[in-house]
Amino acid sequence: MKILLTGQSGINKDLYIEEIKKTLDSHKKTMWYDSVEKRMLESYSGKLDEKSIANFPRTLFDLLREQVWDNLLHELSSRITADYISINTHAVVRWHHNLLPVLDIDKLLRYSPDMVACLIDDALDVKKSLEEEGEQFNFWEIFAWREEEIWFSRFVASSLSRLLKKDIPFYILPLKQGPPLLSDLLLHPQVPRIYLSFPITGVTENERQVIENFKTSIKKKFIAFDPYCIRDREILIHYFSIEDRIRSSLPTDITKKINERGSGWYQQTDENLPLVLSTIVFPNTELKGYDLLSAMDIIDSQIISRDFLLIDQSDFVVMYIKQEKDRPV
């Protein structure tokens, strides 16, 4: 079985796959795995200031990509034997606020994957990981890149299904749900896939524990997709929990409007001013207020869009509905 694994930078796919290989090994199954990006870097004999394939000149980028795919496909046809074969690649690359396509439909037709999976993680964790690697992105770009990876990967799976005349499933895999999710999809393809639906806000600690028990019981019998394994909305919850303190700490005269239209500009304040003038401190990183503002409207809309995609890749939706006085809430 051949897998095409995609996902943006800032996610340690190598570590993820290593854990899956251990699980497969315990079931007497083998997996061969390689990364297009890693192969491209190894193939380049010159010097790069930063270890990113996006630093290549575009002609060299395309040439190396073609060469790496040809080498991989030759190896697979001539000497690679494994129960599962996985190639890791970006669907697209974002660099200097531009978008570079990475996948080539001709190469993918030759590879003929049996599954396309896109690994995703919380935007704030991706941002922190990229910064540790010396890469800087606007916060909204991280959300955009994740969506581009998801939708382009889904398009590839759908297109290859038609061209190769076989069913190629597409899965979004939240990193925080752990490697067992993909392991189960590989080892138990006939087990029903479940989208878990449950209340997140407005629940007591007792109810939260009951919901966790409900989720655990479902996961024991089925392959379950847990939408709460992507927690971008906690970014907003964290900000709104401290917004009043931010407002009260600002000088009172900062909110006065100064209208000087005649000079070609004027200072304008609005309800987002406390956010724009702040740096929000999170447990493991910090976020400039104006950077968060650029992504605030994106967060909820992407949650809804992603939930529908998680439902699409499921066989059933199983709902936990709170009950009060014998009536559903």
Side-chain angles (χ1 to χ4, degrees), residues 80-309:
I80 302 299
T81 57
D83 297 297
Y84 301 98
I85 292 168
S86 179
I87 293 181
N88 166 34
T89 178
H90 298 302
V92 294
V93 170
R94 273 195 166 267
W95 197 245
H96 295 302
H97 317 298
N98 292 306
L99 199 62
L100 302 176
V102 177
L103 296 179
D104 185 322
I105 197 69
D106 291 336
K107 308 297 184 190
L108 293 176
L109 282 169
R110 289 171 59 193
Y111 179 49
S112 186
D114 302 295
M115 174 194 294
V116 178
C118 183
L119 194 61
I120 65 171
D121 197 11
D122 294 348
L124 202 60
D125 289 336
V126 171
K127 180 179 187 297
K128 180 175 181 291
S129 179
L130 289 171
E131 287 174 346
E132 290 172 349
E133 295 171 8
E135 299 184 28
Q136 296 293 327
F137 287 86
N138 293 325
F139 197 39
W140 69 265
E141 288 183 292
I142 293 171
F143 287 90
W145 189 357
R146 187 173 65 192
E147 285 290 282
E148 289 152 0
E149 290 283 338
I150 289 172
W151 285 98
F152 196 76
S153 300
R154 188 173 187 260
F155 171 75
V156 163
S158 174
S159 299
L160 290 176
S161 292
R162 292 194 298 272
L163 292 169
L164 294 169
K165 293 182 172 55
K166 68 176 184 177
D167 180 35
I168 303 174
F170 167 71
Y171 296 106
I172 298 172
L173 305 175
L175 181 67
K176 286 184 175 56
Q177 196 166 339
L181 178 59
L182 180 53
S183 300
D184 286 344
L185 286 168
L186 296 177
L187 292 168
H188 311 293
Q190 302 307 316
V191 172
R193 302 178 300 271
I194 304 293
Y195 173 84
L196 292 170
S197 178
F198 50 89
I200 294 172
T201 58
V203 295
T204 65
E205 196 56 45
N206 259 1
E207 289 169 335
R208 188 170 285 109
Q209 187 55 56
V210 172
I211 290 169
E212 285 303 314
N213 293 340
F214 155 77
K215 289 160 61 175
T216 300
S217 67
I218 295 294
K219 290 176 182 178
K220 285 180 179 178
K221 297 184 178 182
F222 305 100
I223 297 172
F225 302 110
D226 186 347
Y228 199 45
C229 285
I230 294 291
R231 300 193 174 187
D232 290 334
R233 200 163 204 290
E234 291 185 357
I235 300 169
L236 301 183
I237 293 170
H238 179 73
Y239 166 69
F240 289 130
S241 71
I242 60 175
E243 184 182 39
D244 288 341
R245 278 184 284 155
I246 295 172
R247 287 182 183 277
S248 62
S249 66
L250 293 174
T252 55
D253 60 351
I254 198 78
T255 57
K256 292 180 180 178
K257 290 184 180 179
I258 305 171
N259 295 306
E260 297 182 357
R261 296 175 186 272
S263 64
W265 71 279
Y266 67 95
Q267 180 178 337
Q268 179 177 318
T269 63
D270 58 32
E271 62 180 10
N272 291 314
L273 183 69
L275 176 58
V276 174
L277 296 179
S278 307
T279 294
I280 315 301
V281 180
F282 293 89
N284 297 316
T285 188
E286 296 182 350
L287 192 60
K288 299 293 184 186
Y290 57 79
D291 220 6
L292 174 54
L293 181 62
S294 72
M296 287 185 79
D297 291 338
I298 297 173
I299 292 174
D300 281 339
S301 62
Q302 284 199 0
I303 289 171
I304 295 168
S305 173
R306 186 170 56 250
D307 281 353
F308 278 119
L309 289 175

